[in-house]
Structures are given as C-alpha cells and as structure tokens.
Amino acid sequence: METTAYLSIGLLGLGLAASSGLNTFLPLLILALAAKMQLFGVQLNGSFAWLASDVALGTLGIAAFAEIIADKVPTVDHILDAIGTVARPAAGALVAASVFHNSDPAMATLLGLIIGAPTAFSFHAAKAGTRATSTVGTMGLLNPALSFFEDMAAIILIFVALLAPLLVPIFLIVFGFTLWKLLKLAKTKWRAKAI
C-alpha cells in the first residue's frame, strides 16, 4: 500500500476518532453502515468486520439514539461525560483501528490506540470543559444547544472523514478555533455576570 493511501486511511481514522470524542456511538454506527452498504469505499479490517453485522448495527443504532437524546438532558449530560472519559477514547481507538483494512490486526489495533484514543480523549475533554463552563455560566440552560452543536459537528466531521479525509486537519483546526472562541466568550460573559 502506498504512502498516500496510508495517509488517507490515517486521516479517516483521525476524523472518526475526533468525532467519537463528541459522540461515542454515532461514528461507529455510520462507519459500520458505510461498510455494510459498501459506501465511500469503506473497508474494515477483517478483525473488525463484526462492526457491520446486523447485531452490531442494531446495538450501535440504539446506543447512538439514546446518547443523542440523553445528552440534551441537564445533569444526565454530565453523567454521560463522566462515562465518556473512558468510553469515548475506547470508541476512538476502535473506530480508528477498524479502518486500517490492509494492516494485520495487531498493527491495526496499535494504530487505533495511537491515533484514536488520544484524539477522542482530547475532543471529549474539550467538550466536557465547554459543558462545565456552560453549566456554571448559564445554569445549564445552554447545554442542550451545545449538545446539538456537538452532534452536528460530529456528523459533519464523520462525512468529511469519509468523503475527503485530506480535509480532516483543516476541519479540526477550524473546529478547535471555534470551540476556543466559544469558551473565551462564555468565560467573559460569566465574569461580567459575577461582577
């Protein structure tokens, strides 16, 4: 496999892992659906082919739906973030490892751990920090809107990764800058209210 193909697969894994930091199950579900329906040229590593099974798809569908709804509920969103500290990096490692279809399973798993887990954890930490700032500054009233924004960002990132993986770094930079600006704005407004 040539270097550009590895780069493309690595960026696909990176994009899917980043979206796993925002939503645990949605990237896995969409990747599994794409593999099952043979869309976007997605191929799964043989060791992870079970992701495209009917049982896995049904389970991922239920889990993704439940997470999207529960994340809009104040207090429940913080419980999900606490669970997500472990679950999202694991999902990020899994989704990243599964796309290395031409690697042996051990190498795919190692690459998934190297690329997926830290990326998903970073995005999860940013999400949890934004949510905590919102809870303090708005008494949680802004959290459902933030959750909707995170879901949309995850969906867009998933499809950018699937359709044009080379654009993933640009999307991540834009998303990170936007998140930083939102945090800065929220902190400024919170400090103004405190005075």
Side-chain angles (χ1 to χ4, degrees):
M1 185 181 265
E2 61 185 61
T3 306
T4 55
Y6 270 117
L7 177 64
S8 183
I9 290 170
L11 290 174
L12 169 62
L14 179 71
L16 293 172
S19 63
S20 294
L22 301 173
N23 187 302
T24 312
F25 300 105
L26 196 58
L28 284 165
L29 174 63
I30 293 174
L31 176 68
L33 281 169
K36 177 105 175 169
M37 301 169 124
Q38 299 178 345
L39 300 172
F40 314 113
V42 169
Q43 297 176 36
L44 298 178
N45 181 288
S47 294
F48 301 97
W50 59 268
L51 281 170
S53 71
D54 292 339
V55 171
L57 283 168
T59 304
L60 289 169
I62 292 166
F65 179 77
E67 182 180 20
I68 288 168
I69 299 302
D71 198 44
K72 311 290 183 285
V73 179
T75 306
V76 175
D77 61 343
H78 294 297
I79 295 168
L80 285 175
D81 281 343
I83 294 167
T85 302
V86 174
R88 290 185 179 134
L94 176 60
V95 77
S98 68
V99 299
F100 284 95
H101 58 89
N102 282 344
S103 296
D104 83 27
M107 180 57 79
T109 301
L110 180 62
L111 290 169
L113 288 169
I114 291 169
I115 294 170
T119 302
F121 181 77
S122 298
F123 274 75
H124 166 70
K127 171 185 173 156
T130 303
R131 211 52 90 75
T133 301
S134 169
T135 299
V136 170
T138 69
M139 294 184 285
L141 296 176
L142 188 60
N143 288 7
L146 281 174
S147 177
F148 178 77
F149 170 75
E150 293 156 0
D151 291 341
M152 291 302 102
I155 290 168
I156 291 167
L157 181 51
I158 291 165
F159 284 100
V160 166
L162 289 169
L163 295 169
L166 295 177
L167 296 179
V168 166
I170 295 167
F171 183 87
L172 295 180
I173 290 167
V174 169
F175 181 78
F177 179 75
T178 302
L179 189 61
W180 174 72
K181 285 299 233 180
L182 285 172
L183 271 172
K184 190 174 174 182
L185 178 66
K187 286 180 182 180
T188 303
K189 289 191 178 225
W190 181 65
R191 284 186 188 133
K193 278 186 179 181
I195 294 176

